Amino acid sequence: MDHSSEPRGPSRRGLIGAAATMAATSTAGALKPTPAKAAPVGGDVEVTLNVNGRDHRLTLDVRTSLLDALREHMDLTGSKKGCDQGQCGACTVHLDGRRVLGCLTLAVAVQGRALTTIEGLAEPDGTLHPMQQAFIDNDGFQCGYCTPGQIMSAVACVREGHATTEPEIREYMSGNLCRCAAYPKIVDAVKQARDRMGTKA
């Protein structure tokens, strides 16, 4: 018997296609994305930073790093921008006497606290800090790019009591990288300054 003229039921392929179309249609409204709110962007704020004993009144974007504030807004370029990711230590400064990385510290977060940079380490009459003199005496630098951060970290290393032995000095100075590999002379400089600093910050 010829069934070619009889109406045929829906095919499996047709059923699957129809189901997919219905699912897409029914969920289209539910899956419609909600417009995202714009993320807050930085704005300018008035800040006062005490650097090397002097107040600096600045207008900064709230996202400005301490390193950029020092270099770009106060012309204190001794602190260097190396990696800008907290890996090399070239931007080391002192905050209330403790070493911090300028590139990872927000300028707005340090108001009312005492900051010291490499420019403020020597005496007002120009006499070098014992650590600065020790780096000169021991040739503790080559290209000199990392030297400000090395010196600031070395001063803190002695002050923290972590300069008793060479292995200890190496460990507590390990956050400061020297691409010229002047590490042995840096250790010698720290040892010399340690013996001359006494209670000197």
Side-chain angles (χ1 to χ4, degrees), residues 91-160:
C91 63
T92 303
V93 296
H94 292 172
L95 177 62
D96 292 336
R98 299 181 64 84
R99 47 184 158 175
V100 298
L101 298 172
C103 72
L104 296 184
T105 305
L106 288 175
V108 296
V110 298
Q111 293 191 87
R113 304 176 69 180
L115 286 157
T116 305
T117 69
I118 190 69
E119 290 90 347
L121 207 56
E123 297 292 343
D125 65 0
T127 302
L128 294 180
H129 186 282
M131 191 65 74
Q132 292 173 304
Q133 189 62 55
F135 266 70
I136 294 172
D137 294 346
N138 291 275
D139 293 326
F141 53 87
Q142 291 185 38
C143 79
Y145 194 84
C146 73
T147 305
Q150 295 278 3
I151 290 175
M152 296 303 289
S153 193
V155 170
C157 181
V158 172
R159 184 187 297 153
E160 293 162 5

Side-chain angles (χ1 to χ4, degrees), residues 1-198:
M1 185 176 180
D2 183 7
H3 298 285
S4 59
S5 60
E6 295 180 6
R8 300 178 62 186
S11 68
R12 183 170 179 271
R13 180 177 296 174
L15 284 172
I16 293 173
T21 301
M22 289 176 63
T25 303
S26 63
T27 58
L31 297 178
K32 192 173 183 180
T34 303
K37 292 183 179 180
V41 295
D44 289 345
V45 294
E46 300 289 330
V47 299
T48 300
L49 302 181
N50 184 275
V51 184
N52 302 326
R54 176 186 166 199
D55 282 343
H56 296 258
R57 291 175 177 80
L58 308 169
T59 300
L60 302 173
D61 187 293
V62 294
R63 299 165 296 183
T64 303
S65 71
L66 175 58
L67 177 61
D68 286 342
L70 291 170
R71 292 181 58 81
E72 298 175 14
H73 297 272
M74 289 178 263
D75 293 325
L76 295 172
T77 56
S79 303
K80 304 304 182 187
K81 182 177 283 193
C83 65
D84 207 26
Q85 297 179 356
Q87 299 294 319
C88 70
C91 63
T92 303
V93 296
H94 292 172
L95 177 62
D96 292 336
R98 299 181 64 84
R99 47 184 158 175
V100 298
L101 298 172
C103 72
L104 296 184
T105 305
L106 288 175
V108 296
V110 298
Q111 293 191 87
R113 304 176 69 180
L115 286 157
T116 305
T117 69
I118 190 69
E119 290 90 347
L121 207 56
E123 297 292 343
D125 65 0
T127 302
L128 294 180
H129 186 282
M131 191 65 74
Q132 292 173 304
Q133 189 62 55
F135 266 70
I136 294 172
D137 294 346
N138 291 275
D139 293 326
F141 53 87
Q142 291 185 38
C143 79
Y145 194 84
C146 73
T147 305
Q150 295 278 3
I151 290 175
M152 296 303 289
S153 193
V155 170
C157 181
V158 172
R159 184 187 297 153
E160 293 162 5
H162 299 310
T164 306
T165 64
E166 286 195 12
E168 189 177 39
I169 293 171
R170 291 179 184 278
E171 178 180 354
Y172 283 91
M173 289 292 294
S174 62
N176 291 76
L177 303 182
C178 175
R179 294 183 183 274
C180 302
Y183 298 114
K185 295 182 178 182
I186 290 172
V187 172
D188 289 342
V190 174
K191 287 162 56 181
Q192 174 182 309
R194 171 199 65 195
D195 298 334
R196 295 181 181 179
M197 281 172 60

